[in-house]
Amino acid sequence: MHTKFLPRPAVSLVTTSRSPQAGAGSLPAGEPRLLHAEVVDRLRDRIVRGELAPETKLNERVLCQELGISRTPLREALKYLASEGLVQLLPNRGAVVAALEPGRIKQMFVVMGALEALAGELACANASDADIAEIRAMHYQMVAHYARGELADYFRYNQLIHMKLVESGGNGVLAQSYRSLNAHVKRARYMANLSKERWDKAVEEHEAILDALVKRDSTRLKALLQDHLGNKMVVVMEALAGNEPGKP
Amino acid sequence: MHTKFLPRPAVSLVTTSRSPQAGAGSLPAGEPRLLHAEVVDRLRDRIVRGELAPETKLNERVLCQELGISRTPLREALKYLASEGLVQLLPNRGAVVAALEPGRIKQMFVVMGALEALAGELACANASDADIAEIRAMHYQMVAHYARGELADYFRYNQLIHMKLVESGGNGVLAQSYRSLNAHVKRARYMANLSKERWDKAVEEHEAILDALVKRDSTRLKALLQDHLGNKMVVVMEALAGNEPGKP
DNA sequence: GGAAGAAATTTTGTATGCATAATACAGAAG
DNA sequence: CTTCTGTATTATGCATACAAAATTTCTTCC
C-alpha cells in the first residue's frame, strides 16, 4: 500500500490572509474559520477514509506543503487529533496515524453497543415525529441504493441513519461520544468487504430497527440495535484479522 | 469567587532545556516529557479542581508567565483540552474554561450511567480476584475516612474505587471514555456540599456495590451502580442549580 | 562484505516576530 | 451623563528562527 503523499501543489487553505507575507484577504466571512480547525477536519477525514493508513508517519514538512500552511497550525491540529485518539504522538519522534488494533476496535464496539442501546431508549422516548419521519426517509433512500448495489451511497445513508437516531434522543453528549468512537470504527470498516448475504441481512435488520422505532418499542429497538452492531462487529473483526495477520 | 490568577513566580516547567536561551538541563529523564503534555495535565487539573472556574478567560500571556513557557506549547495544550471539551476556543478571541451547563452535566450523567452499567457487567465477568481484593481494600480505606469525617480523602478513595471498577472490566476504551466524562462531572462535584444523610447513604450504597461485585452478581451490580449514580446526579444538579441561578 | 562510529542531514520542540483582529480608552457630540 | 467614534493598546493567529534530538549517510576498520 502506498504510504507516500501525493505531490499536490499546495492548494493552500489560506484564504483569510492573516499571514505576514500574504497579499490580500477576500471573503467577508460570516464566521472566522481557523486554520488548525480546518486542518483537523481535513486530516481526520483522510485518516478515517484510510487515505492516511494506520501507523503512517506524519511528516510535518510534507503535510505543511500539502496543506499550504506553516507548522504551527499543523502541530496544533495534531495535538487535537491526538486527543481524539486518531493520532499518536511519539515524544521527539513526531506523530503517526493511530494503529488499528483489533482488540481495541472490539472494545470500541462493546462501548458503542452500550451507547446505541441508550440511544435507542432515548430516541423512543424523545424523538419527535419529524425526527422519525426523517429517519424513515433516509431509510428508503438507503434501501434504494442497496437495490442498485451502490455500496458507497448505501454506507453514507446508513451512517446518516445511525447518527440521526443517536441525535434524536436529545442527548448531545451521547451523540458526541458516539461520533468519536464511530470515527475510529469507520476506519476499520473501509477495509471490510461486505458480502452479499451480510448486506441483505443488514438491510433486513434496518427494516426491523425502523419498525421498532416507529412503534417506539424501546426494548425491542435496543435488542435489534445490539444485534445489528454485533453482526457488524463480526464483519469488521474478520476483515481486520484478514488484513493484518503479521505486521512486517 | 476568585478568578484572578495567583502571581506565581513562573516556577517553570522547563527542565529538559531545549529552548534557545535556556542554560542547562538536568534530569537524565528515562522518558521525555514534552511541555504541551505537562501543561495539559496541569491545566486540566486546575480546571477540574475549579481553581480555573467555568468561563474564566484564559489569557495566553498570563498563563505563559505562570507556567514559565512560551505561547507555542501553551496553545497546543489548549487545543488538546478543547478536544476534551474542558476548554472552549473562540476564534480570534482566545480560549475560556468550558461552561458548566446543568443540562449538559445531566446528559453526561446519563451517558455515564450506561457506561457504568457496562462496566459493572464487564467487571463481574472479567475482574480478577486480585482486582476485587484491591477494590475491597480501597473500600475499607474509604469507609475509614468516612468514619473520621475526612471528606477529601473519602472522595479520593471513592474515585479510585469507581475507576478501578471500570478498569477491571478489561475494556480500555470504556475506561478512557468514562475518565473523560468523569473529569467534567468532577468539576461540578467540587461545588456540591454533601449532606450528612446523603453521605451515609452513599456509603451504604458502596457496601452493597462491593457485595454485588464480590458475588459477581452482574444484574444487581448494574442496578446498584445506576441507583448510586442517579443519587449523585441529584446532589450535583441541586448544587449546580443553587450556584448559578443567574449569570451576572 | 559488514559492523561500528563519526559527520551530515533531517526532523522535531520551543521560542520569538509580525500582521490582523479585538478590546480598552479618550474625547466629542447629543 | 450617555453614546458614538476614532485611536491606542492588547491579544490572538500564523509564520519563522533556532537548538536539541533523531535519523541518515559516509567512513573506517575488522
Side-chain angles (χ1 to χ4, degrees):
Chain A
M1 181 176 286
H2 279 213
T3 60
K4 250 198 150 68
F5 297 98
L6 302 175
R8 244 183 268 171
V11 193
S12 180
L13 301 171
V14 180
T15 55
T16 50
S17 131
R18 197 176 186 167
S19 54
Q21 93 291 3
S26 44
L27 306 186
E31 203 187 73
R33 188 98 171 105
L34 264 38
L35 274 189
H36 72 91
E38 189 71 37
V39 172
V40 163
D41 287 345
R42 289 215 185 190
L43 289 182
R44 180 173 33 223
D45 187 61
R46 289 171 72 176
I47 291 171
V48 169
R49 291 204 328 270
E51 182 192 326
L52 289 172
E55 308 185 65
T56 304
K57 175 128 178 43
L58 296 169
N59 182 302
E60 295 181 4
R61 193 176 43 78
V62 172
L63 285 175
C64 285
Q65 271 199 310
E66 283 184 25
L67 297 164
I69 59 171
S70 79
R71 287 175 60 215
T72 305
L74 172 68
R75 287 174 58 83
E76 290 174 356
L78 291 176
K79 300 297 179 294
Y80 198 99
L81 291 168
S83 172
E84 292 187 358
L86 291 171
V87 157
Q88 188 183 3
L89 301 176
L90 310 172
N92 287 318
R93 304 185 50 200
V96 296
V97 177
L100 254 187
E101 300 161 58
R104 213 167 163 75
I105 297 297
K106 193 163 187 175
Q107 293 180 352
M108 287 187 184
F109 272 108
V110 172
V111 176
M112 284 180 77
L115 296 184
E116 267 201 3
L118 174 60
E121 212 167 322
L122 293 178
C124 284
N126 304 331
S128 70
D129 292 341
D131 287 331
I132 295 180
E134 200 177 326
I135 290 175
R136 185 209 297 274
M138 292 191 288
H139 175 80
Y140 289 132
Q141 286 284 324
M142 185 187 78
V143 171
H145 288 302
Y146 159 69
R148 293 186 218 123
E150 295 161 357
L151 191 61
D153 290 314
Y154 167 83
F155 269 142
R156 197 156 50 81
Y157 277 96
N158 188 341
Q159 282 292 312
L160 285 174
I161 288 168
H162 281 276
M163 275 314 308
K164 179 67 184 173
L165 187 130
V166 168
E167 282 165 3
S168 53
N171 187 319
V173 173
L174 172 63
Q176 169 84 15
S177 304
Y178 183 84
R179 210 188 324 268
S180 173
L181 290 175
N182 191 41
H184 287 263
V185 168
K186 267 204 281 189
R187 293 208 297 159
R189 212 213 37 209
Y190 269 87
M191 303 176 168
N193 261 17
L194 206 54
S195 71
K196 179 61 180 154
E197 298 76 43
R198 175 59 205 139
W199 197 359
D200 294 344
K201 191 138 174 298
V203 173
E204 271 178 49
E205 288 163 9
H206 262 270
E207 298 277 2
I209 286 169
L210 177 62
D211 184 64
L213 176 63
V214 168
K215 292 177 178 148
R216 296 182 187 269
D217 182 343
S218 176
T219 308
R220 192 161 75 94
L221 180 56
K222 277 168 72 169
L224 290 169
L225 286 171
Q226 292 274 27
D227 183 52
H228 183 60
L229 191 66
N231 290 332
K232 178 170 157 185
M233 176 173 80
V234 171
V235 173
V236 168
M237 295 312 292
E238 280 172 359
L240 228 52
N243 280 33
E244 42 181 288
K247 291 180 189 175
Chain B
M1 181 174 287
H2 280 214
T3 59
K4 254 200 149 69
F5 297 97
L6 303 175
R8 246 182 266 171
V11 194
S12 179
L13 301 171
V14 180
T15 57
T16 50
S17 131
R18 196 174 187 169
S19 55
Q21 93 290 4
S26 44
L27 306 184
E31 203 186 71
R33 186 100 173 104
L34 263 37
L35 275 187
H36 71 90
E38 191 70 38
V39 171
V40 163
D41 287 345
R42 289 214 185 192
L43 290 182
R44 181 171 35 222
D45 187 60
R46 290 172 72 176
I47 292 171
V48 169
R49 290 204 330 268
E51 183 193 326
L52 290 172
E55 310 187 62
T56 304
K57 175 127 179 43
L58 296 169
N59 183 302
E60 295 180 6
R61 192 175 43 79
V62 173
L63 285 175
C64 285
Q65 271 199 312
E66 282 184 25
L67 297 164
I69 59 170
S70 78
R71 289 174 58 215
T72 306
L74 172 68
R75 287 173 58 84
E76 290 174 355
L78 291 177
K79 301 297 180 293
Y80 197 99
L81 291 169
S83 172
E84 291 186 359
L86 290 172
V87 156
Q88 188 184 1
L89 301 175
L90 310 172
N92 287 319
R93 304 186 48 201
V96 297
V97 178
L100 254 187
E101 300 162 58
R104 212 168 164 75
I105 297 296
K106 193 162 187 174
Q107 293 181 353
M108 287 187 185
F109 271 108
V110 172
V111 175
M112 284 180 78
L115 295 184
E116 267 202 3
L118 174 60
E121 212 167 323
L122 293 178
C124 284
N126 303 333
S128 69
D129 291 342
D131 287 331
I132 294 179
E134 198 177 328
I135 290 174
R136 185 209 297 273
M138 292 191 288
H139 175 80
Y140 289 132
Q141 286 285 321
M142 185 186 77
V143 171
H145 289 301
Y146 158 70
R148 294 187 217 122
E150 296 161 357
L151 191 60
D153 289 315
Y154 167 83
F155 270 142
R156 197 156 49 82
Y157 276 97
N158 188 338
Q159 283 291 313
L160 285 173
I161 289 168
H162 282 276
M163 275 315 307
K164 179 67 184 173
L165 188 133
V166 168
E167 282 164 3
S168 54
N171 187 320
V173 173
L174 173 62
Q176 168 85 16
S177 304
Y178 183 85
R179 209 188 325 268
S180 173
L181 290 176
N182 191 41
H184 287 262
V185 169
K186 268 204 280 190
R187 293 208 297 158
R189 215 215 35 209
Y190 269 86
M191 303 178 169
N193 260 18
L194 206 54
S195 72
K196 179 62 180 153
E197 297 76 44
R198 174 58 204 140
W199 196 0
D200 295 345
K201 190 138 176 297
V203 172
E204 271 179 49
E205 287 163 11
H206 261 271
E207 298 277 2
I209 286 169
L210 177 62
D211 184 64
L213 176 62
V214 167
K215 292 179 178 148
R216 295 182 187 269
D217 183 343
S218 176
T219 308
R220 192 160 76 94
L221 181 57
K222 276 168 73 169
L224 291 168
L225 287 171
Q226 292 275 26
D227 184 51
H228 183 61
L229 192 67
N231 290 333
K232 177 170 159 186
M233 177 173 81
V234 170
V235 173
V236 168
M237 294 313 291
E238 278 172 1
L240 228 52
N243 281 32
E244 42 181 289
K247 291 180 188 175

